[in-house]
Amino acid sequence: MDEGGTPLLPDSLVYQIFLSLGPADVLAAGLVCRQWQAVSRDEFLWREQFYRYYQVARDVPRHPAAASWYEEFRRLYDTVPCVEVQTLQEHTDQVLHLSFSHSGCQFASCSKDCTVKIWNNDLTISLLHSADMRPYNWSYTQFSQFNQDDSLLLASGVFLGPHNSSSGEIAVISLDNFVLLSRVRNKPYDVFGCWLTETSLISGNLHRIGDITSCSVLWLNNAFQDVESENVNVVKRLFKIQNLNASTIRTVMVADCGRFDSPDLLLDAGAPPGRIFDLGSEGEEEAAGPVLVRAKEGLRCHLDGLLDTRTQPQLAERALETKVAELLAQGHTKPPERSAAGAQSKLLIFTTGCLTYSPHQIGIKQILPHQMTTAGPVLGEGRGSDAFFDALDHVIDVHGHVIGMGLSPDNRYLYVNSRAWPSGSVVADPMQPPPIAEEIDLLVFDLKTMREVKRALRAHRAYTPNDECFFIFLDVSRDFVASGAEDRHGYIWDRHYNICLAKLRHQDVVNSVVFSPQEQELLLTASDDATIKAWRSPRTVRIRQAPRPRPRPFFSWFASQRR
């Protein structure tokens, strides 16, 4: 300013100078005078700062809920939970999974030390209860989930059966008095299990049919396992699904379709149509009889050709078994039911496959309202004799090994951790899947349109081969998505801009991450280093560390007069 208060530099020149500065320097310069303060808040200036600092593609628009470019820059810089505030060391072995209650007041942790620990999420996190599952012949706990009203906790683990055979088991724990209410067998153990309603849960069982052919049965179980009347079942068969080429159903979860129409964040707005994934049902419009006849005729012709001495069998035993299983299933599979208009259904989501034992597909099956109760027929009563298996509604093939899945809070978007197969790879032997990439792709699918949206997020890595690959649990909040990795870090991305915002360091593999459902500026990470770390945003840390204001003199005097 000159002596008369007139700026010596015009705003346009100050703006050009500020463009060459970094964000911190722009803010510092804005403290010099009113003119610089005004220029330092210019929208075009902060738009340039945003794209440059965060390296966002220029064709990506601003977040639809953002008030300004300055506030959007500040949101990504100040509200990401990247500051370590507490390390919990009560577990004595690898911590495999974390889950929050819906209220955010508690969370649970599972570990190789065979305990399920329940924690109070207060200003300082504290241990509330620890349940040791070794008396029930468990070898370790691997997964937990709170029911909708936070009254019950589902805990899943690996169970040691006869002759050291490993299966799974699900335990239901009351959160009122921490009493074990029921135990449910779960096979294979990496089905994990999940809640369907507040008092019913889904478990799995596996039945071998041939060398590489099996079927998975999904069961609906009452959490309390007590029959209130003769009309209420303890368990009811939900679906029976054929498995080919040594594949099995694993990692079941439930999405609520009723929440799709009010999403927290639209990821595909204005995006070009992506791939559509729909398995469909070829025989849906035809009677079961003709389909069964055609299947039997096809199988007979195939076997006749193999048994004919003039024909040399071209298929190996495993390929022959798969072909026979496919032909038989054509006439014994019940087509998907369609929900009535206005019916509030749910989606059962799980990993599966059709080429090899490694999970390379995501199966989706609609659960209709009449299927969400254990009342009614047991063991598939009322099912036609020809409808032996249930058909899937949709199948998503990721062409790689699925190692993690998570739903957005509105249940509309499915995020998938996948390690890709080499381009053009062919599975010749179901017991020898293709090698998998070290890079983990984080894929996103819209469950309302069944389309893939966004490009894959990539920053985290995994190193174990496909026969030793394990699950890495991810989590999604309103604005962020987070995942663990084998490179000893957790990662946080912004869901709208598809950029990595933070790396959270541990001393070993990070197995699980979870946001507080009520406060996305709080994130927990669990690691093979036997610790759980709590991370808060810089903004939250600053607020909590700010000194409390001293009482005004008047109130101090007033308080002293009352003594």
PDB file of all heavy atoms in Angstrom, residues 512-542:
ATOM      1  N   SER A 512      -7.266 -55.406   8.320  1.00  0.00           N
ATOM      2  CA  SER A 512      -8.630 -54.871   8.369  1.00  0.00           C
ATOM      3  C   SER A 512      -8.595 -53.388   8.715  1.00  0.00           C
ATOM      4  O   SER A 512      -7.740 -52.935   9.485  1.00  0.00           O
ATOM      5  CB  SER A 512      -9.460 -55.639   9.416  1.00  0.00           C
ATOM      6  OG  SER A 512     -10.773 -55.139   9.508  1.00  0.00           O
ATOM      7  N   VAL A 513      -9.515 -52.649   8.123  1.00  0.00           N
ATOM      8  CA  VAL A 513      -9.706 -51.235   8.452  1.00  0.00           C
ATOM      9  C   VAL A 513     -11.203 -51.003   8.623  1.00  0.00           C
ATOM     10  O   VAL A 513     -12.015 -51.672   7.997  1.00  0.00           O
ATOM     11  CB  VAL A 513      -9.156 -50.307   7.343  1.00  0.00           C
ATOM     12  CG1 VAL A 513      -7.659 -50.474   7.168  1.00  0.00           C
ATOM     13  CG2 VAL A 513      -9.863 -50.571   6.023  1.00  0.00           C
ATOM     14  N   VAL A 514     -11.568 -50.032   9.460  1.00  0.00           N
ATOM     15  CA  VAL A 514     -12.992 -49.747   9.642  1.00  0.00           C
ATOM     16  C   VAL A 514     -13.175 -48.298  10.090  1.00  0.00           C
ATOM     17  O   VAL A 514     -12.467 -47.814  10.971  1.00  0.00           O
ATOM     18  CB  VAL A 514     -13.628 -50.734  10.650  1.00  0.00           C
ATOM     19  CG1 VAL A 514     -12.992 -50.623  12.036  1.00  0.00           C
ATOM     20  CG2 VAL A 514     -15.129 -50.542  10.741  1.00  0.00           C
ATOM     21  N   PHE A 515     -14.101 -47.608   9.427  1.00  0.00           N
ATOM     22  CA  PHE A 515     -14.479 -46.255   9.821  1.00  0.00           C
ATOM     23  C   PHE A 515     -15.565 -46.325  10.886  1.00  0.00           C
ATOM     24  O   PHE A 515     -16.410 -47.231  10.860  1.00  0.00           O
ATOM     25  CB  PHE A 515     -15.046 -45.474   8.624  1.00  0.00           C
ATOM     26  CG  PHE A 515     -14.048 -45.099   7.579  1.00  0.00           C
ATOM     27  CD1 PHE A 515     -13.907 -45.859   6.428  1.00  0.00           C
ATOM     28  CD2 PHE A 515     -13.254 -43.963   7.725  1.00  0.00           C
ATOM     29  CE1 PHE A 515     -13.001 -45.502   5.438  1.00  0.00           C
ATOM     30  CE2 PHE A 515     -12.340 -43.606   6.746  1.00  0.00           C
ATOM     31  CZ  PHE A 515     -12.213 -44.382   5.603  1.00  0.00           C
ATOM     32  N   SER A 516     -15.577 -45.344  11.787  1.00  0.00           N
ATOM     33  CA  SER A 516     -16.725 -45.215  12.678  1.00  0.00           C
ATOM     34  C   SER A 516     -17.934 -44.828  11.834  1.00  0.00           C
ATOM     35  O   SER A 516     -17.863 -43.883  11.039  1.00  0.00           O
ATOM     36  CB  SER A 516     -16.474 -44.138  13.730  1.00  0.00           C
ATOM     37  OG  SER A 516     -17.689 -43.798  14.386  1.00  0.00           O
ATOM     38  N   PRO A 517     -19.068 -45.536  11.969  1.00  0.00           N
ATOM     39  CA  PRO A 517     -20.244 -45.207  11.142  1.00  0.00           C
ATOM     40  C   PRO A 517     -20.840 -43.854  11.467  1.00  0.00           C
ATOM     41  O   PRO A 517     -21.589 -43.292  10.659  1.00  0.00           O
ATOM     42  CB  PRO A 517     -21.225 -46.345  11.464  1.00  0.00           C
ATOM     43  CG  PRO A 517     -20.804 -46.846  12.799  1.00  0.00           C
ATOM     44  CD  PRO A 517     -19.325 -46.673  12.861  1.00  0.00           C
ATOM     45  N   GLN A 518     -20.513 -43.289  12.623  1.00  0.00           N
ATOM     46  CA  GLN A 518     -21.051 -41.996  13.023  1.00  0.00           C
ATOM     47  C   GLN A 518     -20.039 -40.865  12.876  1.00  0.00           C
ATOM     48  O   GLN A 518     -20.379 -39.697  13.047  1.00  0.00           O
ATOM     49  CB  GLN A 518     -21.522 -42.060  14.497  1.00  0.00           C
ATOM     50  CG  GLN A 518     -22.576 -43.115  14.765  1.00  0.00           C
ATOM     51  CD  GLN A 518     -23.843 -42.883  13.980  1.00  0.00           C
ATOM     52  OE1 GLN A 518     -24.245 -41.738  13.759  1.00  0.00           O
ATOM     53  NE2 GLN A 518     -24.494 -43.951  13.540  1.00  0.00           N
ATOM     54  N   GLU A 519     -18.791 -41.219  12.553  1.00  0.00           N
ATOM     55  CA  GLU A 519     -17.735 -40.203  12.534  1.00  0.00           C
ATOM     56  C   GLU A 519     -16.629 -40.677  11.595  1.00  0.00           C
ATOM     57  O   GLU A 519     -15.706 -41.375  12.017  1.00  0.00           O
ATOM     58  CB  GLU A 519     -17.183 -40.008  13.968  1.00  0.00           C
ATOM     59  CG  GLU A 519     -16.141 -38.942  14.111  1.00  0.00           C
ATOM     60  CD  GLU A 519     -15.531 -38.927  15.508  1.00  0.00           C
ATOM     61  OE1 GLU A 519     -15.879 -39.795  16.337  1.00  0.00           O
ATOM     62  OE2 GLU A 519     -14.690 -38.055  15.750  1.00  0.00           O
ATOM     63  N   GLN A 520     -16.730 -40.323  10.318  1.00  0.00           N
ATOM     64  CA  GLN A 520     -15.770 -40.843   9.352  1.00  0.00           C
ATOM     65  C   GLN A 520     -14.361 -40.291   9.542  1.00  0.00           C
ATOM     66  O   GLN A 520     -13.429 -40.741   8.877  1.00  0.00           O
ATOM     67  CB  GLN A 520     -16.251 -40.575   7.935  1.00  0.00           C
ATOM     68  CG  GLN A 520     -16.238 -39.124   7.507  1.00  0.00           C
ATOM     69  CD  GLN A 520     -16.518 -38.950   6.017  1.00  0.00           C
ATOM     70  OE1 GLN A 520     -16.687 -39.913   5.274  1.00  0.00           O
ATOM     71  NE2 GLN A 520     -16.573 -37.699   5.569  1.00  0.00           N
ATOM     72  N   GLU A 521     -14.199 -39.350  10.463  1.00  0.00           N
ATOM     73  CA  GLU A 521     -12.861 -38.837  10.765  1.00  0.00           C
ATOM     74  C   GLU A 521     -12.157 -39.691  11.815  1.00  0.00           C
ATOM     75  O   GLU A 521     -11.109 -39.309  12.341  1.00  0.00           O
ATOM     76  CB  GLU A 521     -12.937 -37.375  11.197  1.00  0.00           C
ATOM     77  CG  GLU A 521     -13.415 -36.461  10.079  1.00  0.00           C
ATOM     78  CD  GLU A 521     -13.472 -34.994  10.486  1.00  0.00           C
ATOM     79  OE1 GLU A 521     -12.530 -34.523  11.150  1.00  0.00           O
ATOM     80  OE2 GLU A 521     -14.462 -34.317  10.136  1.00  0.00           O
ATOM     81  N   LEU A 522     -12.731 -40.868  12.133  1.00  0.00           N
ATOM     82  CA  LEU A 522     -12.091 -41.858  12.997  1.00  0.00           C
ATOM     83  C   LEU A 522     -11.981 -43.168  12.222  1.00  0.00           C
ATOM     84  O   LEU A 522     -12.976 -43.674  11.703  1.00  0.00           O
ATOM     85  CB  LEU A 522     -12.902 -42.076  14.277  1.00  0.00           C
ATOM     86  CG  LEU A 522     -12.494 -43.285  15.137  1.00  0.00           C
ATOM     87  CD1 LEU A 522     -11.070 -43.145  15.653  1.00  0.00           C
ATOM     88  CD2 LEU A 522     -13.472 -43.472  16.294  1.00  0.00           C
ATOM     89  N   LEU A 523     -10.770 -43.702  12.134  1.00  0.00           N
ATOM     90  CA  LEU A 523     -10.516 -44.965  11.444  1.00  0.00           C
ATOM     91  C   LEU A 523      -9.689 -45.863  12.347  1.00  0.00           C
ATOM     92  O   LEU A 523      -8.776 -45.402  13.033  1.00  0.00           O
ATOM     93  CB  LEU A 523      -9.759 -44.717  10.130  1.00  0.00           C
ATOM     94  CG  LEU A 523      -9.389 -45.967   9.318  1.00  0.00           C
ATOM     95  CD1 LEU A 523     -10.604 -46.520   8.593  1.00  0.00           C
ATOM     96  CD2 LEU A 523      -8.265 -45.665   8.322  1.00  0.00           C
ATOM     97  N   LEU A 524     -10.018 -47.168  12.344  1.00  0.00           N
ATOM     98  CA  LEU A 524      -9.239 -48.165  13.073  1.00  0.00           C
ATOM     99  C   LEU A 524      -8.560 -49.088  12.072  1.00  0.00           C
ATOM    100  O   LEU A 524      -9.131 -49.427  11.031  1.00  0.00           O
ATOM    101  CB  LEU A 524     -10.133 -48.993  14.000  1.00  0.00           C
ATOM    102  CG  LEU A 524     -10.983 -48.234  15.017  1.00  0.00           C
ATOM    103  CD1 LEU A 524     -11.878 -49.213  15.774  1.00  0.00           C
ATOM    104  CD2 LEU A 524     -10.105 -47.452  15.992  1.00  0.00           C
ATOM    105  N   THR A 525      -7.336 -49.513  12.388  1.00  0.00           N
ATOM    106  CA  THR A 525      -6.613 -50.468  11.551  1.00  0.00           C
ATOM    107  C   THR A 525      -6.127 -51.619  12.426  1.00  0.00           C
ATOM    108  O   THR A 525      -5.725 -51.410  13.575  1.00  0.00           O
ATOM    109  CB  THR A 525      -5.416 -49.812  10.845  1.00  0.00           C
ATOM    110  OG1 THR A 525      -4.543 -49.212  11.835  1.00  0.00           O
ATOM    111  CG2 THR A 525      -5.874 -48.739   9.881  1.00  0.00           C
ATOM    112  N   ALA A 526      -6.158 -52.842  11.865  1.00  0.00           N
ATOM    113  CA  ALA A 526      -5.717 -54.040  12.591  1.00  0.00           C
ATOM    114  C   ALA A 526      -4.621 -54.723  11.796  1.00  0.00           C
ATOM    115  O   ALA A 526      -4.687 -54.798  10.567  1.00  0.00           O
ATOM    116  CB  ALA A 526      -6.893 -54.986  12.806  1.00  0.00           C
ATOM    117  N   SER A 527      -3.634 -55.265  12.498  1.00  0.00           N
ATOM    118  CA  SER A 527      -2.439 -55.751  11.812  1.00  0.00           C
ATOM    119  C   SER A 527      -1.944 -57.075  12.383  1.00  0.00           C
ATOM    120  O   SER A 527      -2.283 -57.472  13.507  1.00  0.00           O
ATOM    121  CB  SER A 527      -1.332 -54.697  11.924  1.00  0.00           C
ATOM    122  OG  SER A 527      -0.097 -55.192  11.460  1.00  0.00           O
ATOM    123  N   ASP A 528      -1.100 -57.746  11.577  1.00  0.00           N
ATOM    124  CA  ASP A 528      -0.396 -58.933  12.050  1.00  0.00           C
ATOM    125  C   ASP A 528       0.600 -58.609  13.153  1.00  0.00           C
ATOM    126  O   ASP A 528       1.129 -59.522  13.793  1.00  0.00           O
ATOM    127  CB  ASP A 528       0.363 -59.588  10.883  1.00  0.00           C
ATOM    128  CG  ASP A 528      -0.529 -60.497  10.056  1.00  0.00           C
ATOM    129  OD1 ASP A 528      -1.726 -60.622  10.370  1.00  0.00           O
ATOM    130  OD2 ASP A 528      -0.028 -61.091   9.061  1.00  0.00           O
ATOM    131  N   ASP A 529       0.892 -57.325  13.374  1.00  0.00           N
ATOM    132  CA  ASP A 529       1.795 -56.962  14.466  1.00  0.00           C
ATOM    133  C   ASP A 529       1.096 -56.988  15.828  1.00  0.00           C
ATOM    134  O   ASP A 529       1.661 -56.533  16.832  1.00  0.00           O
ATOM    135  CB  ASP A 529       2.449 -55.595  14.218  1.00  0.00           C
ATOM    136  CG  ASP A 529       1.429 -54.452  14.157  1.00  0.00           C
ATOM    137  OD1 ASP A 529       0.279 -54.627  14.603  1.00  0.00           O
ATOM    138  OD2 ASP A 529       1.796 -53.366  13.649  1.00  0.00           O
ATOM    139  N   ALA A 530      -0.152 -57.536  15.862  1.00  0.00           N
ATOM    140  CA  ALA A 530      -0.929 -57.746  17.086  1.00  0.00           C
ATOM    141  C   ALA A 530      -1.448 -56.444  17.698  1.00  0.00           C
ATOM    142  O   ALA A 530      -1.850 -56.423  18.859  1.00  0.00           O
ATOM    143  CB  ALA A 530      -0.136 -58.536  18.127  1.00  0.00           C
ATOM    144  N   THR A 531      -1.469 -55.379  16.927  1.00  0.00           N
ATOM    145  CA  THR A 531      -1.967 -54.109  17.453  1.00  0.00           C
ATOM    146  C   THR A 531      -3.184 -53.628  16.663  1.00  0.00           C
ATOM    147  O   THR A 531      -3.397 -54.015  15.514  1.00  0.00           O
ATOM    148  CB  THR A 531      -0.896 -53.005  17.393  1.00  0.00           C
ATOM    149  OG1 THR A 531      -0.624 -52.675  16.029  1.00  0.00           O
ATOM    150  CG2 THR A 531       0.375 -53.438  18.092  1.00  0.00           C
ATOM    151  N   ILE A 532      -3.953 -52.775  17.319  1.00  0.00           N
ATOM    152  CA  ILE A 532      -5.028 -52.011  16.688  1.00  0.00           C
ATOM    153  C   ILE A 532      -4.657 -50.546  16.858  1.00  0.00           C
ATOM    154  O   ILE A 532      -4.335 -50.110  17.969  1.00  0.00           O
ATOM    155  CB  ILE A 532      -6.389 -52.288  17.342  1.00  0.00           C
ATOM    156  CG1 ILE A 532      -6.750 -53.772  17.250  1.00  0.00           C
ATOM    157  CG2 ILE A 532      -7.489 -51.427  16.723  1.00  0.00           C
ATOM    158  CD1 ILE A 532      -7.933 -54.164  18.114  1.00  0.00           C
ATOM    159  N   LYS A 533      -4.693 -49.794  15.772  1.00  0.00           N
ATOM    160  CA  LYS A 533      -4.368 -48.371  15.863  1.00  0.00           C
ATOM    161  C   LYS A 533      -5.604 -47.537  15.549  1.00  0.00           C
ATOM    162  O   LYS A 533      -6.372 -47.872  14.640  1.00  0.00           O
ATOM    163  CB  LYS A 533      -3.231 -48.001  14.901  1.00  0.00           C
ATOM    164  CG  LYS A 533      -1.880 -48.581  15.313  1.00  0.00           C
ATOM    165  CD  LYS A 533      -0.760 -48.034  14.444  1.00  0.00           C
ATOM    166  CE  LYS A 533       0.595 -48.562  14.905  1.00  0.00           C
ATOM    167  NZ  LYS A 533       1.714 -47.966  14.137  1.00  0.00           N
ATOM    168  N   ALA A 534      -5.752 -46.461  16.307  1.00  0.00           N
ATOM    169  CA  ALA A 534      -6.844 -45.510  16.078  1.00  0.00           C
ATOM    170  C   ALA A 534      -6.256 -44.266  15.429  1.00  0.00           C
ATOM    171  O   ALA A 534      -5.243 -43.721  15.892  1.00  0.00           O
ATOM    172  CB  ALA A 534      -7.526 -45.158  17.391  1.00  0.00           C
ATOM    173  N   TRP A 535      -6.906 -43.826  14.347  1.00  0.00           N
ATOM    174  CA  TRP A 535      -6.442 -42.665  13.577  1.00  0.00           C
ATOM    175  C   TRP A 535      -7.558 -41.636  13.522  1.00  0.00           C
ATOM    176  O   TRP A 535      -8.713 -41.971  13.260  1.00  0.00           O
ATOM    177  CB  TRP A 535      -6.064 -43.077  12.158  1.00  0.00           C
ATOM    178  CG  TRP A 535      -5.125 -44.237  12.083  1.00  0.00           C
ATOM    179  CD1 TRP A 535      -5.441 -45.568  12.195  1.00  0.00           C
ATOM    180  CD2 TRP A 535      -3.705 -44.184  11.869  1.00  0.00           C
ATOM    181  NE1 TRP A 535      -4.319 -46.343  12.076  1.00  0.00           N
ATOM    182  CE2 TRP A 535      -3.239 -45.521  11.863  1.00  0.00           C
ATOM    183  CE3 TRP A 535      -2.799 -43.146  11.671  1.00  0.00           C
ATOM    184  CZ2 TRP A 535      -1.888 -45.845  11.676  1.00  0.00           C
ATOM    185  CZ3 TRP A 535      -1.464 -43.465  11.485  1.00  0.00           C
ATOM    186  CH2 TRP A 535      -1.018 -44.784  11.490  1.00  0.00           C
ATOM    187  N   ARG A 536      -7.207 -40.366  13.764  1.00  0.00           N
ATOM    188  CA  ARG A 536      -8.176 -39.277  13.685  1.00  0.00           C
ATOM    189  C   ARG A 536      -7.678 -38.214  12.710  1.00  0.00           C
ATOM    190  O   ARG A 536      -6.490 -38.167  12.372  1.00  0.00           O
ATOM    191  CB  ARG A 536      -8.446 -38.667  15.060  1.00  0.00           C
ATOM    192  CG  ARG A 536      -9.178 -39.610  16.011  1.00  0.00           C
ATOM    193  CD  ARG A 536      -9.662 -38.893  17.255  1.00  0.00           C
ATOM    194  NE  ARG A 536     -10.369 -39.777  18.166  1.00  0.00           N
ATOM    195  CZ  ARG A 536     -11.671 -40.058  18.077  1.00  0.00           C
ATOM    196  NH1 ARG A 536     -12.402 -39.498  17.126  1.00  0.00           N
ATOM    197  NH2 ARG A 536     -12.246 -40.869  18.936  1.00  0.00           N
ATOM    198  N   SER A 537      -8.589 -37.386  12.277  1.00  0.00           N
ATOM    199  CA  SER A 537      -8.235 -36.333  11.326  1.00  0.00           C
ATOM    200  C   SER A 537      -7.458 -35.227  12.040  1.00  0.00           C
ATOM    201  O   SER A 537      -7.597 -35.032  13.257  1.00  0.00           O
ATOM    202  CB  SER A 537      -9.497 -35.757  10.706  1.00  0.00           C
ATOM    203  OG  SER A 537     -10.250 -35.067  11.686  1.00  0.00           O
ATOM    204  N   PRO A 538      -6.637 -34.477  11.297  1.00  0.00           N
ATOM    205  CA  PRO A 538      -5.949 -33.326  11.911  1.00  0.00           C
ATOM    206  C   PRO A 538      -6.924 -32.348  12.551  1.00  0.00           C
ATOM    207  O   PRO A 538      -6.637 -31.778  13.611  1.00  0.00           O
ATOM    208  CB  PRO A 538      -5.212 -32.697  10.721  1.00  0.00           C
ATOM    209  CG  PRO A 538      -5.008 -33.809   9.754  1.00  0.00           C
ATOM    210  CD  PRO A 538      -6.221 -34.687   9.887  1.00  0.00           C
ATOM    211  N   ARG A 539      -8.067 -32.138  11.930  1.00  0.00           N
ATOM    212  CA  ARG A 539      -9.064 -31.215  12.483  1.00  0.00           C
ATOM    213  C   ARG A 539      -9.559 -31.695  13.848  1.00  0.00           C
ATOM    214  O   ARG A 539      -9.629 -30.920  14.819  1.00  0.00           O
ATOM    215  CB  ARG A 539     -10.244 -31.095  11.523  1.00  0.00           C
ATOM    216  CG  ARG A 539     -11.294 -30.069  11.922  1.00  0.00           C
ATOM    217  CD  ARG A 539     -12.465 -30.108  10.965  1.00  0.00           C
ATOM    218  NE  ARG A 539     -13.249 -31.319  11.159  1.00  0.00           N
ATOM    219  CZ  ARG A 539     -14.259 -31.401  12.027  1.00  0.00           C
ATOM    220  NH1 ARG A 539     -14.601 -30.356  12.755  1.00  0.00           N
ATOM    221  NH2 ARG A 539     -14.927 -32.517  12.151  1.00  0.00           N
ATOM    222  N   THR A 540      -9.873 -32.999  13.967  1.00  0.00           N
ATOM    223  CA  THR A 540     -10.358 -33.542  15.233  1.00  0.00           C
ATOM    224  C   THR A 540      -9.280 -33.478  16.302  1.00  0.00           C
ATOM    225  O   THR A 540      -9.550 -33.126  17.454  1.00  0.00           O
ATOM    226  CB  THR A 540     -10.815 -34.996  15.042  1.00  0.00           C
ATOM    227  OG1 THR A 540     -11.801 -35.054  14.007  1.00  0.00           O
ATOM    228  CG2 THR A 540     -11.410 -35.538  16.314  1.00  0.00           C
ATOM    229  N   VAL A 541      -8.038 -33.800  15.925  1.00  0.00           N
ATOM    230  CA  VAL A 541      -6.929 -33.746  16.895  1.00  0.00           C
ATOM    231  C   VAL A 541      -6.731 -32.324  17.390  1.00  0.00           C
ATOM    232  O   VAL A 541      -6.531 -32.079  18.599  1.00  0.00           O
ATOM    233  CB  VAL A 541      -5.644 -34.294  16.252  1.00  0.00           C
ATOM    234  CG1 VAL A 541      -4.441 -34.042  17.161  1.00  0.00           C
ATOM    235  CG2 VAL A 541      -5.789 -35.784  15.949  1.00  0.00           C
ATOM    236  N   ARG A 542      -6.816 -31.372  16.480  1.00  0.00           N
ATOM    237  CA  ARG A 542      -6.629 -29.971  16.866  1.00  0.00           C
ATOM    238  C   ARG A 542      -7.724 -29.511  17.828  1.00  0.00           C
ATOM    239  O   ARG A 542      -7.450 -28.815  18.815  1.00  0.00           O
ATOM    240  CB  ARG A 542      -6.626 -29.117  15.600  1.00  0.00           C
ATOM    241  CG  ARG A 542      -6.162 -27.694  15.796  1.00  0.00           C
ATOM    242  CD  ARG A 542      -5.906 -27.023  14.459  1.00  0.00           C
ATOM    243  NE  ARG A 542      -7.092 -26.995  13.608  1.00  0.00           N
ATOM    244  CZ  ARG A 542      -7.208 -27.701  12.483  1.00  0.00           C
ATOM    245  NH1 ARG A 542      -6.228 -28.503  12.090  1.00  0.00           N
ATOM    246  NH2 ARG A 542      -8.302 -27.612  11.745  1.00  0.00           N
TER     247      ARG A 542
END
